[in-house]
Structures are given as C-alpha cells and as structure tokens.
Amino acid sequence: MKTIHKHRLKVVNEVQELRLPEEGKVLRVDYIPQETVIFMWVEVDADTVIDTPKEVRTFKVFTTGSGIPNNASYIGTTIDNMKGEAHHVYELRD
C-alpha cells in the first residue's frame, strides 16, 4: 500500500534538506502565494512511514535562467501567477 505526504520548500536560493525514504517519488509541486512556499507531494510505501530510517535528500528551487548543476534531477515547475515567475524544483544528487 502507498501513501502521499506533503512537504514544504521555501522559495529561496539555498539548498534545502528533507528527510524522505530513498524510494519516495515526488508526484507534484505547487506554489502557494498566500504562504510564499512550494508544496511538494511525495508518494511513499505506507510501511516506510513509521519506524523506517529516512535519508536526507536535498532539493533546490531555481529561477528561470539560473545555472543548474549537472548533479541536479528535474522534479517539476510551478508558476507564481501574481508575479509571472516560474520556480523549477530539482533534487541534488551526489
């Protein structure tokens, strides 16, 4: 059985760490203007939610035109319709 959990990313130009199961799959990202954050929904095996060690996974939000490192894997793009800006979410891998 699977379950989906919501995680929060700040709209900043810094690497952000989340504790997630390694096999957790990001399904969607959305910008929430009222909170100035990006929510990210991650599907995980329900058995990994409790009592399973989670690894630290790193994410970064890039703006359009920013340089993206080679170790970054694309997760999704979300739009701030009020400002006409796009936020591109990548996971950074070693």
Side-chain angles (χ1 to χ4, degrees):
M1 178 186 296
K2 301 219 180 263
T3 184
I4 298 172
H5 294 267
K6 180 172 72 172
H7 298 274
R8 177 185 304 250
L9 292 173
K10 297 176 187 173
V11 182
V12 295
N13 188 24
E14 300 171 6
V15 173
Q16 300 174 63
E17 296 180 343
L18 295 175
R19 295 185 60 71
L20 301 169
E22 182 176 344
E23 67 280 352
K25 178 183 173 185
V26 179
L27 301 175
R28 182 181 176 102
V29 294
D30 264 328
Y31 177 71
I32 309 301
Q34 296 86 345
E35 298 185 40
T36 319
V37 297
I38 295 172
F39 284 127
M40 183 169 68
W41 286 267
V42 181
E43 179 184 80
V44 297
D45 189 325
D47 295 336
T48 66
V49 175
I50 300 173
D51 297 332
T52 300
K54 295 172 180 65
E55 69 172 335
V56 174
R57 293 173 58 179
T58 56
F59 297 87
K60 188 167 181 182
V61 178
F62 294 92
T63 57
T64 301
S66 297
I68 298 168
N70 291 334
N71 69 330
S73 298
Y74 178 75
I75 299 294
T77 295
T78 186
I79 307 293
D80 177 351
N81 289 316
M82 301 299 286
K83 295 182 180 177
E85 297 176 350
H87 306 291
H88 312 285
V89 179
Y90 282 77
E91 182 168 8
L92 304 177
R93 301 278 184 171
D94 291 331

